[in-house]
Short mmCIF file of all heavy atoms in Angstrom, two decimals:
data_model
loop_
_atom_site.label_atom_id
_atom_site.label_comp_id
_atom_site.label_asym_id
_atom_site.label_seq_id
_atom_site.Cartn_x
_atom_site.Cartn_y
_atom_site.Cartn_z
N THR A 233 -14.14 26.28 -16.41
CA THR A 233 -13.35 25.17 -16.90
C THR A 233 -12.16 24.88 -15.95
O THR A 233 -11.88 23.72 -15.67
CB THR A 233 -12.87 25.44 -18.33
OG1 THR A 233 -14.00 25.59 -19.18
CG2 THR A 233 -12.00 24.30 -18.85
N HIS A 234 -11.49 25.92 -15.49
CA HIS A 234 -10.38 25.78 -14.59
C HIS A 234 -10.87 25.02 -13.32
O HIS A 234 -10.20 24.05 -12.89
CB HIS A 234 -9.86 27.13 -14.20
CG HIS A 234 -8.66 27.08 -13.28
ND1 HIS A 234 -8.76 26.78 -11.94
CD2 HIS A 234 -7.32 27.28 -13.54
CE1 HIS A 234 -7.52 26.83 -11.41
NE2 HIS A 234 -6.66 27.12 -12.34
N ASN A 235 -12.00 25.43 -12.76
CA ASN A 235 -12.53 24.74 -11.57
C ASN A 235 -12.71 23.27 -11.79
O ASN A 235 -12.35 22.42 -10.97
CB ASN A 235 -13.90 25.35 -11.20
CG ASN A 235 -13.79 26.63 -10.46
OD1 ASN A 235 -12.70 27.07 -10.10
ND2 ASN A 235 -14.93 27.26 -10.18
N MET A 236 -13.26 22.92 -12.96
CA MET A 236 -13.71 21.55 -13.20
C MET A 236 -12.60 20.64 -13.73
O MET A 236 -12.78 19.44 -13.85
CB MET A 236 -14.87 21.51 -14.14
CG MET A 236 -16.11 22.28 -13.59
SD MET A 236 -16.70 21.75 -11.99
CE MET A 236 -17.35 20.12 -12.40
N PHE A 237 -11.45 21.22 -14.03
CA PHE A 237 -10.26 20.39 -14.45
C PHE A 237 -9.17 20.32 -13.38
O PHE A 237 -8.31 19.50 -13.50
CB PHE A 237 -9.66 20.99 -15.75
CG PHE A 237 -10.18 20.34 -16.99
CD1 PHE A 237 -11.34 20.81 -17.56
CD2 PHE A 237 -9.57 19.26 -17.62
CE1 PHE A 237 -11.88 20.23 -18.72
CE2 PHE A 237 -10.06 18.67 -18.73
CZ PHE A 237 -11.20 19.16 -19.30
N THR A 238 -9.30 21.16 -12.35
CA THR A 238 -8.26 21.21 -11.34
C THR A 238 -8.78 21.03 -9.93
O THR A 238 -7.99 20.63 -9.01
CB THR A 238 -7.45 22.50 -11.41
OG1 THR A 238 -8.33 23.61 -10.94
CG2 THR A 238 -6.96 22.82 -12.80
N GLY A 239 -10.04 21.36 -9.68
CA GLY A 239 -10.55 21.39 -8.31
C GLY A 239 -10.25 22.64 -7.57
O GLY A 239 -10.54 22.79 -6.38
N TYR A 240 -9.64 23.63 -8.25
CA TYR A 240 -9.23 24.87 -7.64
C TYR A 240 -9.93 26.06 -8.31
O TYR A 240 -10.19 26.03 -9.52
CB TYR A 240 -7.72 25.11 -7.80
CG TYR A 240 -6.89 24.59 -6.66
CD1 TYR A 240 -6.33 23.34 -6.68
CD2 TYR A 240 -6.59 25.39 -5.56
CE1 TYR A 240 -5.54 22.84 -5.67
CE2 TYR A 240 -5.79 24.94 -4.49
CZ TYR A 240 -5.27 23.66 -4.57
OH TYR A 240 -4.46 23.17 -3.53
N LYS A 241 -10.17 27.11 -7.53
CA LYS A 241 -10.53 28.40 -8.15
C LYS A 241 -9.34 28.96 -8.84
O LYS A 241 -8.21 28.76 -8.42
CB LYS A 241 -11.01 29.36 -7.05
CG LYS A 241 -12.28 28.99 -6.35
CD LYS A 241 -12.68 29.98 -5.28
CE LYS A 241 -13.95 29.61 -4.54
NZ LYS A 241 -14.28 30.60 -3.49
N PRO A 242 -9.52 29.67 -9.95
CA PRO A 242 -8.36 30.27 -10.65
C PRO A 242 -7.64 31.26 -9.75
O PRO A 242 -8.22 31.92 -8.91
CB PRO A 242 -9.05 30.98 -11.85
CG PRO A 242 -10.39 30.38 -11.98
CD PRO A 242 -10.80 29.95 -10.64
N SER A 243 -6.34 31.28 -9.97
CA SER A 243 -5.47 32.23 -9.17
C SER A 243 -4.53 32.92 -10.15
O SER A 243 -3.94 32.29 -11.04
CB SER A 243 -4.67 31.44 -8.14
OG SER A 243 -3.65 32.26 -7.61
N PRO A 244 -4.35 34.26 -9.99
CA PRO A 244 -3.37 34.96 -10.84
C PRO A 244 -1.95 34.59 -10.45
O PRO A 244 -1.02 34.89 -11.25
CB PRO A 244 -3.68 36.43 -10.53
CG PRO A 244 -4.26 36.42 -9.17
CD PRO A 244 -5.04 35.14 -9.04
N ALA A 245 -1.74 33.96 -9.32
CA ALA A 245 -0.40 33.70 -8.84
C ALA A 245 0.14 32.33 -9.22
O ALA A 245 1.37 32.13 -9.20
CB ALA A 245 -0.35 33.86 -7.30
N LEU A 246 -0.76 31.40 -9.59
CA LEU A 246 -0.31 30.02 -9.76
C LEU A 246 -1.24 29.30 -10.71
O LEU A 246 -2.49 29.43 -10.65
CB LEU A 246 -0.27 29.31 -8.43
CG LEU A 246 0.37 27.93 -8.36
CD1 LEU A 246 1.88 28.03 -8.69
CD2 LEU A 246 0.17 27.30 -7.00
N GLN A 247 -0.68 28.54 -11.64
CA GLN A 247 -1.47 27.69 -12.54
C GLN A 247 -1.46 26.29 -11.96
O GLN A 247 -0.42 25.69 -11.76
CB GLN A 247 -0.85 27.69 -13.94
CG GLN A 247 -1.59 26.82 -14.94
CD GLN A 247 -2.97 27.34 -15.27
OE1 GLN A 247 -3.07 28.50 -15.71
NE2 GLN A 247 -3.98 26.59 -15.10
N TYR A 248 -2.67 25.78 -11.67
CA TYR A 248 -2.77 24.46 -11.04
C TYR A 248 -2.74 23.36 -12.06
O TYR A 248 -3.25 23.56 -13.18
CB TYR A 248 -4.02 24.43 -10.17
CG TYR A 248 -4.01 25.36 -9.03
CD1 TYR A 248 -4.61 26.63 -9.13
CD2 TYR A 248 -3.36 25.04 -7.85
CE1 TYR A 248 -4.58 27.52 -8.06
CE2 TYR A 248 -3.33 25.91 -6.77
CZ TYR A 248 -3.93 27.17 -6.90
OH TYR A 248 -3.89 28.03 -5.85
#
Side-chain angles (χ1 to χ4, degrees):
T233 298
H234 183 285
N235 279 357
M236 300 304 291
F237 267 85
T238 69
Y240 269 92
K241 294 180 180 179
S243 166
L246 190 64
Q247 179 69 56
Y248 295 97

